[in-house]
Amino acid sequence: MRDPRHILTLGIALAGLLAGLSACGTVGGSSPGASSDKEARYMKPSDPMARPVQVAWTSARASYCGFIFSPEQLRSNYLAAEAATGISASQMKKIEEAYDYTRQSTHDTIKGNLNYCNKERTAAIRQDLNRYLAGDYTPAARLAQ
C-alpha cells in the first residue's frame, strides 16, 4: 500500500503542472484575445496573436472615440491579409477568434468611460488606425493615458 503523503504530494504536483500549462495560452490564459488595454498594448510582437489583438483593440477604441471608418471593412481587410500569408485554417480560426474577442471585450471595458477619449489617447489611436487602414498591421499599438 502506498503512503498517502506521496499520493497527496503527487496530486499537488500534478495540479500545479496543469494550472501552469493552462496559463500558457496566448494573452489571458483561456481567453482567445485581450480583455484590457494593458494586455493588448504590451503583447510581445513575436506573439502570433499580437497583430489581431492590437488591430481589434485599436478598432474598438477608434469606434468608441468617434473615428469615421468602417470597422467591418478593417476587419475584412486585416483577415484577408492574414489569409494571404498562407497560414493554416486552424491558425486563421484562432486569429479571427482573438480579433472578435478583443474587439468586443475592449468595447465592453471602455463603454461608459466618459474620460476615455482624451487628447493623448485619440492621437495614439489615430496613428495606429491610419497604419492599419493603409494595410500595415505591424504590432506596435500605442497606449496613451
Side-chain angles (χ1 to χ4, degrees):
M1 186 160 162
R2 295 190 184 260
D3 183 352
R5 290 176 292 178
H6 291 286
I7 294 172
L8 179 62
T9 302
L10 179 62
I12 292 171
L14 182 58
L17 176 64
L18 290 175
L21 288 175
S22 70
C24 287
T26 299
V27 192
S30 63
S31 64
S35 60
S36 72
D37 280 353
K38 185 177 178 182
E39 284 182 31
R41 169 59 185 102
Y42 294 110
M43 288 188 76
K44 293 180 181 175
S46 60
D47 187 320
M49 293 296 115
R51 280 193 312 268
V53 163
Q54 290 190 353
V55 175
W57 176 59
T58 299
S59 176
R61 296 177 332 132
S63 294
Y64 181 76
C65 292
F67 285 79
I68 307 299
F69 75 109
S70 170
E72 297 80 17
Q73 189 63 51
L74 175 58
R75 180 185 185 275
S76 178
N77 290 347
Y78 167 70
L79 294 175
E82 286 288 0
T85 66
I87 60 174
S88 69
S90 65
Q91 185 66 14
M92 191 67 203
K93 184 175 187 241
K94 289 178 185 177
I95 287 170
E96 287 183 47
E97 289 173 354
Y99 189 101
D100 294 340
Y101 175 85
T102 300
R103 190 169 195 296
Q104 186 62 51
S105 64
T106 300
H107 176 268
D108 292 346
T109 300
I110 64 177
K111 71 180 177 187
N113 181 346
L114 300 178
N115 298 316
Y116 190 84
C117 302
N118 62 37
K119 184 178 178 181
E120 295 79 17
R121 191 172 279 137
T122 56
I125 293 168
R126 180 175 293 106
Q127 189 171 2
D128 290 328
L129 182 62
N130 285 336
R131 278 190 317 107
Y132 298 148
L133 293 175
D136 177 2
Y137 304 110
T138 307
R142 290 146 191 78
L143 177 62
Q145 302 301 321

